[in-house]
Amino acid sequence: MNENKAKRLYNEQNIKRIQNVSGIALTLILWYVLSNFTSIPDLYLPSPQEIVQCFIKYSKDIPRHITSSLHRIVVGFFVGSAIGIIMGLFIGWNKNVRNILEPLVEFIRPMPPLALIPLFILWFGIGDKSKIIVIAFGAWVVLVVNTIEAVRNVDPLYLDAARSLGANTWDVFRTVLIPAITPDIIAGIRVVAANSFGMCVAAEFMGTATGFGYLIIEGRRFIKTDLLLVGVLLITICSMLANMLIRLIEKRLTRWVPRVEN
Amino acid sequence: MDNTILSAENISMLFSTRKGTITALKNLTFSVENGQFVAIVGPSGCGKSTLINILAGMLKPTQGRVLLEGKAVNNVNSKVGMVFQKYAAFPWMTVEQNVSYGPRIARLPKSKIEEITRRYIKMVGLEGYEHLYPKELSGGMSKRVDIARAYANSPDVLLMDEPFGALDDITKKQMQLELLKIWDQEKKTVLFITHDLEEALFLANRVIVLQKPEGDCESLNVIQEIPFSRPRLPELRADTEFIEMKTLLAEVMVR
């Protein structure tokens, strides 16, 4: 009986895996057929082989582009997230700080970071600094709002429980507030990480000699659609890897969170 | 010197709302002797939650004061342990980490923390579940964690605010028996708030019945000593005297 059940479960998992792969496989096949056996010009739709060839051709340069973009993203992401979380904690925790800063945050919140790129270039020049600041700004906005909300959502029951067990303000902060908001913060960080890649590319479009954005702009300028797509694929892969890394950390830190198993 | 550990002296609590002033508690006075099990019952709206918030030091009464061992209770402190109606075990801590919370916050020596934790986990019968998170526990087990955690912090008085209100009937009755066993072992004063008269009679030495303070009515309805011998067993609920007393108090409550 049990054996049957285990077998069925195993089969179900296999079916799920096959289904998961089939969507991607079908798209790849469709792409291959459309690009190789129809009259659609390479300019619009280069074939998968061409993308691979282009990748090999630029393989010497690619690491340089990756590191230069990742440098901007990582620095911007960390600086922006850190400031966002710390400010969010203060605003969420302290009434006076909240009264002063929250209206300001609410005003800045709807500003699209991309709209500020020209201003940042004006202030900080066309180099890395302005790009990093755009990314940091984008991360900051999301996380400051996210953290304020998370702090506000902590069940007062836990704060009362901790205090009745002898916890002082610092103990409550350390042992209740921080762990209680961690799941929300990590969810915010995941959104921010994905955004950071997009903002980095947008900032690079405004002028750069390296990075994912450079590959894409070069591809467009010289009508090398394959190069353009290599740029897009590289960002996608890096963004996916970043997301996986964050999920791994999330799993470690939020084992206690009740979840619906699927 | 009498044996009073906790006393409420002439407590009144008024809330001002848009519709005017609401009296939640009026001129309530009672005292609790050390080691007793006192239950506070009353219909909804009689100010039970307000009272527990005041006793716990979370709320300041408009008038009167609460004395714990002769000293006024002004804020939440570790001398008054709490078991809440809702499940209050920290979801991010294991059973062990929850139970050891008080001793850890008090920075007791490591060996002492371990000893206390082991003792109270054993007391509530959660051995073998030390490393589980609250999400992995049933309602009854979660409540046990709350109780063990409150006891492990060795407060002077334990306030229990309808702790079994969320449990199903069978689990509730089982928990009542276990609580009595623990109370008997630990000899700690318990103030147990409930809307369930039978529960109050079954558990307590003394039942304080509250009423809604309206018109000339004050908060205190009646204080009833409960004479039934201990240990109290489930059969007590079918005892004629028990039922009589329950009927009597039920009448008093609706009066």
Side-chain angles (χ1 to χ4, degrees):
Chain A
M1 194 61 207
N2 237 338
E3 208 172 295
N4 271 340
K5 206 172 168 189
K7 213 170 182 182
R8 208 177 59 224
L9 209 73
Y10 179 76
N11 280 337
E12 262 172 34
Q13 292 225 318
N14 269 344
I15 290 169
K16 190 181 154 204
R17 247 175 240 140
I18 292 165
Q19 285 170 332
N20 286 164
V21 174
S22 63
I24 294 170
L26 276 175
T27 311
L28 278 176
I29 291 166
L30 192 71
W31 175 20
Y32 184 82
V33 172
L34 283 177
S35 53
N36 284 303
F37 304 112
T38 65
S39 56
I40 300 173
D42 279 357
L43 170 62
Y44 294 130
L45 190 67
S47 66
Q49 318 88 281
E50 279 172 300
I51 301 287
V52 174
Q53 275 159 18
C54 178
F55 197 88
I56 292 164
K57 193 171 135 202
Y58 283 88
S59 60
K60 225 171 68 203
D61 287 336
I62 281 173
R64 185 165 59 92
H65 293 300
I66 292 180
T67 49
S68 115
S69 276
L70 280 187
H71 164 74
R72 292 164 189 150
I73 290 168
V74 168
V75 175
F77 165 83
F78 273 106
V79 170
S81 300
I83 298 174
I85 293 170
I86 291 167
M87 273 185 77
L89 282 171
F90 275 109
I91 295 172
W93 188 246
N94 187 296
K95 209 171 67 190
N96 295 319
V97 179
R98 175 161 64 238
N99 291 343
I100 295 167
L101 288 182
E102 206 176 13
L104 189 68
V105 170
E106 283 301 317
F107 179 73
I108 298 174
R109 180 183 182 174
M111 281 183 197
L114 302 186
L116 293 172
I117 293 177
L119 182 70
F120 289 150
I121 290 175
L122 202 68
W123 283 352
F124 306 106
I126 193 81
D128 269 1
K129 214 193 274 171
S130 61
K131 295 177 183 64
I132 288 170
I133 285 169
V134 177
I135 296 164
F137 177 80
W140 175 81
V141 173
V142 173
L143 277 170
V144 77
V145 173
N146 194 76
T147 309
I148 295 171
E149 202 56 33
V151 172
R152 200 171 283 159
N153 284 338
V154 175
D155 193 335
L157 175 71
Y158 299 130
L159 307 178
D160 288 339
R163 286 199 193 101
S164 82
L165 289 163
N168 59 29
T169 307
W170 170 240
D171 292 326
V172 173
F173 188 86
R174 191 169 55 85
T175 61
V176 177
L177 191 80
I178 295 295
I181 66 174
T182 300
D184 287 352
I185 301 286
I186 296 182
I189 281 178
R190 257 195 11 232
V191 172
V192 163
N195 286 353
S196 299
F197 282 88
M199 272 177 300
C200 175
V201 176
E204 286 169 349
F205 285 171
M206 302 295 287
T208 178
T210 54
F212 304 130
Y214 171 81
L215 293 177
I216 294 170
I217 286 288
E218 281 291 288
R220 189 197 61 103
R221 188 177 293 150
F222 299 106
I223 326 182
K224 286 194 271 189
T225 315
D226 48 357
L227 180 61
L228 190 157
L229 284 176
V230 165
V232 172
L233 277 175
L234 280 177
I235 309 166
T236 310
I237 291 164
C238 289
S239 179
M240 269 168 66
L241 289 176
N243 189 43
M244 276 159 69
L245 184 71
I246 296 169
R247 266 187 195 278
L248 219 67
I249 296 168
E250 184 177 26
K251 238 181 173 171
R252 271 282 166 88
L253 290 178
T254 63
R255 261 177 308 185
W256 55 272
V257 178
R259 277 198 188 84
V260 184
E261 304 288 333
N262 59 330
Chain B
M1 189 74 197
D2 66 346
N3 201 19
T4 300
I5 185 159
L6 180 81
S7 57
E9 292 184 346
N10 201 28
I11 288 179
S12 289
M13 188 76 211
L14 307 173
F15 291 107
S16 42
T17 66
R18 275 181 300 153
K19 286 181 189 158
T21 313
I22 290 173
T23 309
L25 289 169
K26 194 170 164 190
N27 302 338
L28 179 61
T29 299
F30 65 85
S31 61
V32 177
E33 277 173 33
N34 198 3
Q36 270 205 318
F37 197 122
V38 173
I40 297 176
V41 281
S44 58
C46 72
K48 287 192 301 270
S49 337
T50 309
L51 177 60
I52 206 151
N53 285 339
I54 290 171
L55 293 175
M58 292 192 265
L59 202 62
K60 232 178 138 60
T62 320
Q63 173 202 303
R65 56 183 187 163
V66 175
L67 295 181
L68 178 66
E69 291 178 319
K71 281 191 216 117
V73 175
N74 290 322
N75 41 39
V76 181
N77 65 83
S78 57
K79 285 185 174 168
V80 182
M82 297 278 292
V83 178
F84 300 86
Q85 182 173 7
K86 291 196 260 178
Y87 299 117
F90 301 125
W92 49 89
M93 292 182 195
T94 61
V95 169
E96 190 172 49
Q97 290 166 331
N98 265 292
V99 175
S100 64
Y101 187 83
R104 282 192 285 129
I105 287 296
R107 308 221 150 64
L108 298 185
K110 211 172 164 204
S111 59
K112 190 88 189 145
I113 294 175
E114 276 169 15
E115 184 198 317
I116 293 171
T117 310
R118 214 173 309 125
R119 174 165 165 219
Y120 286 98
I121 285 179
K122 188 171 175 223
M123 180 184 82
V124 296
L126 282 177
E127 291 153 301
Y129 299 99
E130 286 90 345
H131 301 296
L132 295 190
Y133 286 100
K135 68 164 178 180
E136 296 160 309
L137 303 176
S138 68
M141 287 159 89
S142 249
K143 250 333 23 125
R144 286 163 212 257
V145 176
D146 292 359
I147 292 170
R149 183 175 70 179
Y151 269 101
N153 199 41
S154 60
D156 294 342
V157 174
L158 272 152
L159 290 183
M160 303 199 178
D161 181 12
E162 303 200 26
F164 306 145
L167 300 175
D168 64 87
D169 199 51
I170 294 171
T171 314
K172 180 176 174 172
K173 290 191 167 133
Q174 198 184 331
M175 292 297 293
Q176 289 170 356
L177 287 175
E178 285 190 33
L179 178 60
L180 282 183
K181 216 173 1 170
I182 292 165
W183 173 75
D184 204 42
Q185 273 174 32
E186 295 287 314
K187 311 277 180 225
K188 198 141 270 185
T189 315
V190 173
L191 222 68
F192 192 100
I193 291 183
T194 178
H195 62 262
D196 182 344
L197 191 54
E198 188 184 276
E199 183 173 50
L201 285 172
F202 186 72
L203 296 173
N205 302 111
R206 174 191 280 183
V207 173
I208 299 175
V209 183
L210 298 184
Q211 61 191 352
K212 207 169 172 178
E214 279 170 328
D216 290 342
C217 268
E218 297 193 340
S219 280
L220 186 63
N221 188 332
V222 67
I223 295 180
Q224 174 73 50
E225 299 296 326
I226 311 297
F228 308 116
S229 62
R230 297 186 186 269
R232 294 191 182 159
L233 303 169
E235 296 85 81
L236 178 62
R237 292 198 185 87
D239 185 273
T240 333
E241 253 181 277
F242 185 87
I243 294 170
E244 263 170 31
M245 191 173 275
K246 193 176 128 188
T247 318
L248 186 86
L249 283 178
E251 275 168 24
V252 168
M253 261 172 86
V254 293
R255 192 175 56 198

